[in-house]
Amino acid sequence: NAGVMQNPRHLVRRRGQEARLRCSPMKGHSHVYWYRQLPEEGLKFMVYLQKENIIDESGMPKERFSAEFPKEGPSILRIQQVVRGDSAAYFCASSTLNEKLFFGSGTQLSVL
Amino acid sequence: AQTVTQSQPEMSVQEAETVTLSCTYDTSESDYYLFWYKQPPSRQMILVIRQEAYKQQNATENRFSVNFQKAAKSFSLKISDSQLGDAAMYFCAYRRLGGSQGNLIFGKGTKLSVKP
């Protein structure tokens, strides 16, 4: 049973481009969570999704950021018109309902 | 708003010795969850231990145990018989009882080094 898979591992974008980060949850998990980690900081919760639904987006920036978890395929975190301040490690976790979270190894986004 | 503070940016321990990592938090809630997560160089966060605030008994997982002081809002992690594989970043985290499963508030972390 593969763990939570995130790709790409590293992503480089120029200012103004779009970044698309992918997260495939563990088999059998229908709950996905996205976090952002800035250097020297802990993870900050962004959004919680179930299949086809956003459950809690209280940590998501209001502009340029969006997330989806379609019926088929991975969850996608999309950042439009990236700026230097978006440079960070983005982590995804998955779980079944009310159970332990399993984390991926993250995507390191660098904005030039 | 709830906050989590880890006052030790770095700690060091000799192999086979015991080390304690500190964590304090601020909340007006009476029921909540507290966690310690380990982040090794692979970056994948791994749950070390979890404590429910309504339980007075301190949680224990093998060599890892916590000292939960609810009145003082303190939640320290003790690692006994430290091993080289324990070297990692350790994050303390808080979650509201009614909050969504993954809506955790993390501290800034403590980097633990283990000397052979």
Side-chain angles (χ1 to χ4, degrees), chain A residues 35 43 56 91 99 103 105-106, chain B residues 43-44 100-103 106-107:
Chain A
Y35 303 83
L43 275 66
D56 179 357
F91 288 88
E99 292 298 324
F103 283 81
S105 296
Chain B
R43 301 195 311 186
Q44 189 177 31
S100 59
Q101 175 81 349
N103 196 337
F106 286 88

Side-chain angles (χ1 to χ4, degrees), chain B residues 13-79:
Chain B
V13 64
Q14 205 73 34
E15 195 176 5
E17 297 294 309
T18 296
V19 65
T20 299
L21 308 184
S22 301
C23 173
T24 58
Y25 58 94
D26 189 24
T27 183
S28 58
E29 309 273 336
S30 58
D31 287 321
Y32 45 86
Y33 299 97
L34 295 164
F35 306 83
W36 277 99
Y37 277 89
K38 172 184 178 182
Q39 187 179 42
S42 66
R43 301 195 311 186
Q44 189 177 31
M45 298 284 278
I46 301 165
L47 177 65
V48 174
I49 203 162
R50 159 184 155 145
Q51 174 83 41
E52 290 90 348
Y54 63 85
K55 289 186 179 177
Q56 293 185 340
Q57 187 171 8
N58 290 323
T60 299
E61 286 287 341
N62 301 315
R63 297 182 296 107
F64 299 87
S65 61
V66 297
N67 183 2
F68 173 47
Q69 301 289 328
K70 191 173 183 180
K73 296 180 182 175
S74 171
F75 183 60
S76 60
L77 175 69
K78 185 171 86 170
I79 306 174

